[in-house]
Amino acid sequence: MLSNSSSVLKTGDWIKGKSRKGELIIGYIESLNISQGVFKVNVITSDNQETVGKIIPILSNQVKSLPVSNVINKEQILFLIDLALSTGDEDWFIELSSKLNSIKQLVNGVN
């Protein structure tokens, strides 16, 4: 785990940062090398489309953790389900699908 901006970053955390070439990236930490201060980041979004879907090294001082957001509506959950599918995160997909089903049950219960 590496400390960054008063928070401790670890494998699986979502970050935003700049690559060595200065490209803006958003992704999650695949692994980290504490002694070298380097994260291996799975890039989900970037201003360089060629890096999307790749795992690239980023210096720990070039990243900031993304805040954890509380999903509150159906559209956000649907977007995150798509993201879970694109990243192959089955556990997250199941968790989000469960939340979506709970919302649907609440809406059907109101009618």
Side-chain angles (χ1 to χ4, degrees):
M1 292 188 282
L2 290 175
S3 181
N4 179 285
S5 303
S6 75
S7 67
V8 177
L9 296 171
K10 59 190 178 312
T11 301
D13 284 350
W14 285 86
I15 58 94
K16 68 177 178 177
K18 292 207 178 234
S19 72
R20 292 180 179 167
K21 296 178 182 177
E23 305 155 338
L24 175 64
I25 65 106
I26 294 176
Y28 59 91
I29 299 171
E30 280 280 333
S31 64
L32 49 112
N33 185 320
I34 296 171
S35 63
Q36 294 180 357
V38 175
F39 295 121
K40 295 244 174 145
V41 176
N42 190 330
V43 179
I44 303 302
T45 304
S46 174
D47 52 6
N48 177 359
Q49 289 301 311
E50 292 181 15
T51 60
V52 173
K54 294 184 180 175
I55 297 172
I56 63 169
I58 298 181
L59 296 173
S60 63
N61 64 355
Q62 295 293 313
V63 302
K64 291 184 181 181
S65 71
L66 288 175
V68 176
S69 92
N70 294 323
V71 178
I72 56 172
N73 67 45
K74 180 180 172 183
E75 289 75 26
Q76 287 176 323
I77 292 175
L78 290 171
F79 173 79
L80 292 175
I81 286 174
D82 287 343
L83 189 56
L85 288 170
S86 70
T87 60
D89 191 330
E90 183 178 354
D91 292 335
W92 191 29
F93 171 78
I94 291 169
E95 176 188 335
L96 292 166
S97 295
S98 176
K99 285 183 182 182
L100 183 60
N101 286 334
S102 295
I103 288 174
K104 286 180 181 179
Q105 288 176 353
L106 283 173
V107 169
N108 290 337
V110 171
N111 293 335

